[in-house]
Amino acid sequence: MKLIIQIPCYNEAETLDVTINDLPRHIEGVDEIEYLIINDGSGDDTVEVARRAGVHHVVSFASNKGLAKGFMAGLDGCLRNGADVIVNTDADNQYCAEDIETLIRPILEGRADIVIGARPIDDTEHFSWIKKKLQHFGSWVVRKASKTDIPDAPSGFRAYSRDAAMRINVVNDYTYTLETIVQAGRERIPMAWVPIRTNPELRPSRLFKSMLGYVKKSILTILRAYMMYNPLTFFSILSVPPTLIGLAIGIRFLFLFFDGDGGGHNQSLILACTLIILGFLTFVIGLLADLISSNRRILQDTQYHVRRMEYERLK
């Protein structure tokens, strides 16, 4: 059983040494533990610090590509180097490394393929009141969209089995945390969560420059993921308001028409027809999107088998 701990890095020379030194060297039930960093176009000595600290593998980008692409490149690197279990953690030592054993235990015991570490958000001192509320609200939205019970969706402290890592896809350029939970929930990949601890803040978060920007990007990511994996429901819901309003206006026009007062309400008839057509077209878009989603599932299944053949050949 081989565990590889991956760490996405972007100019992390000041904190990376602390993070790597805290990582476990031995875990019961694990034969090998290796470390991998994703150097996302760093302009400092991140790679040199990592190598001095004993990192086994380095995946490098020539320029900064963002957290989502870095995460996927890390999974690919871990799988190519024979990982049976992959843990993702942050380079700023936000998460308590001692909890990695707790994090991977459900995978080792065969109870889950993905495990999310749930932070004590309300007890985290460097989180502002508004950030705590937004974290809770965002996690609630993701739970509804994914039909899971994950209490801390934005947490980047998570573990993947080899099989789950081969199934994961991330299409947005912002972050992997929300989309992968929606995908796993909709694809019914066994998923669990465990409570974990956090360390004092070493540096401010770099994922977003403002709270408004974070909220906007998170909402767009959740909506996009939900549309990808459940498009018919999404567009059917969108089609209901214009259809119902159009029908109500149309019924009102018919009532006035048969009452002998329909001649002066032609605008209502035009508006009713327009809204009903709009609702119908939205529903048709949902049908087409559902067909595309079905084809995407076939392509994902094909991709999974191709990945499996490739990675098993390299293992």
Side-chain angles (χ1 to χ4, degrees):
M1 179 65 67
K2 185 175 186 177
L3 165 66
I4 296 184
I5 303 171
Q6 71 170 35
I7 309 172
C9 298
Y10 178 60
N11 294 332
E12 302 289 359
E14 293 183 4
T15 61
L16 187 57
D17 190 58
V18 176
T19 301
I20 295 173
N21 287 333
D22 279 354
L23 295 178
R25 268 59 181 175
H26 304 283
I27 294 178
E28 183 180 352
V30 176
D31 302 312
E32 297 178 73
I33 300 178
E34 295 181 355
Y35 314 134
L36 177 147
I37 70 161
I38 305 100
N39 173 37
D40 193 11
S42 298
D44 62 2
D45 296 330
T46 293
V47 174
E48 289 75 11
V49 170
R51 293 196 186 280
R52 287 199 300 268
V55 165
H56 304 82
H57 313 286
V58 176
V59 176
S60 286
F61 293 148
S63 60
N64 182 256
K65 295 184 180 294
L67 186 58
K69 284 185 170 57
F71 170 77
M72 290 303 298
L75 290 186
D76 178 70
C78 292
L79 291 169
R80 288 182 181 278
N81 285 285
D84 296 298
V85 180
I86 300 169
V87 166
N88 186 89
T89 190
D90 284 357
D92 61 357
N93 205 37
Q94 174 186 172
Y95 307 109
C96 183
E98 291 181 1
D99 291 333
I100 288 178
E101 182 172 2
T102 303
L103 191 70
I104 67 172
R105 191 57 54 190
I107 295 177
L108 298 181
E109 295 175 354
R111 294 186 284 113
D113 282 326
I114 300 176
V115 184
I116 312 295
R119 297 165 292 179
I121 293 174
D122 290 328
D123 298 328
T124 304
E125 295 181 0
H126 61 270
F127 281 6
S128 65
W129 179 85
I130 185 66
K131 184 173 182 178
K132 292 176 182 179
K133 296 304 178 184
L134 288 173
Q135 293 272 15
H136 285 307
F137 177 71
S139 296
W140 176 81
V141 173
V142 172
R143 285 197 296 274
K144 295 301 179 183
S146 62
K147 294 185 177 180
T148 63
D149 63 348
I150 305 301
D152 186 11
S155 171
F157 194 48
R158 47 184 67 191
Y160 295 85
S161 69
R162 184 175 180 84
D163 187 77
M166 287 189 284
R167 294 184 182 275
I168 289 297
N169 284 295
V170 178
V171 298
N172 81 90
D173 295 328
Y174 174 53
T175 180
Y176 62 90
T177 56
L178 308 179
E179 183 179 338
T180 50
I181 292 177
V182 175
Q183 179 192 354
R186 291 292 167 176
E187 298 293 334
R188 304 192 180 208
I189 299 174
M191 188 161 40
W193 65 274
V194 295
I196 53 106
R197 295 163 292 172
T198 56
N199 295 317
E201 185 180 37
L202 294 182
R203 61 158 176 77
S205 173
R206 296 173 181 165
L207 186 58
F208 56 92
K209 296 180 179 179
S210 67
M211 194 62 65
L212 181 60
Y214 170 73
V215 172
K216 182 177 70 173
K217 288 184 177 180
S218 297
I219 290 174
L220 290 175
T221 299
I222 295 170
L223 284 176
R224 185 176 184 181
Y226 188 79
M227 282 191 287
M228 282 182 61
Y229 296 102
N230 205 3
L232 185 56
T233 300
F234 180 83
F235 285 101
S236 294
I237 293 172
L238 283 184
S239 71
V240 170
T243 301
L244 291 180
I245 295 172
L247 287 174
I249 295 173
I251 292 171
R252 174 180 175 275
F253 172 81
L254 290 175
F255 177 80
L256 293 173
F257 178 81
F258 287 112
D259 197 41
D261 191 26
H265 297 277
N266 292 332
Q267 298 90 338
S268 297
L269 180 60
I270 295 172
L271 178 60
C273 293
T274 301
L275 290 172
I276 292 172
I277 292 172
L278 180 61
F280 176 74
L281 290 176
T282 303
F283 178 72
V284 170
I285 290 172
L287 290 175
L288 294 174
D290 190 61
L291 293 175
I292 294 172
S293 179
S294 298
N295 288 330
R296 179 187 49 75
R297 290 190 184 97
I298 296 172
L299 291 173
Q300 279 189 336
D301 189 59
T302 302
Q303 181 191 54
Y304 165 73
H305 286 91
V306 171
R307 283 175 171 174
R308 186 171 181 176
M309 288 188 293
E310 179 182 2
Y311 293 135
E312 291 304 318
R313 178 176 57 84
L314 294 171
K315 189 174 181 181

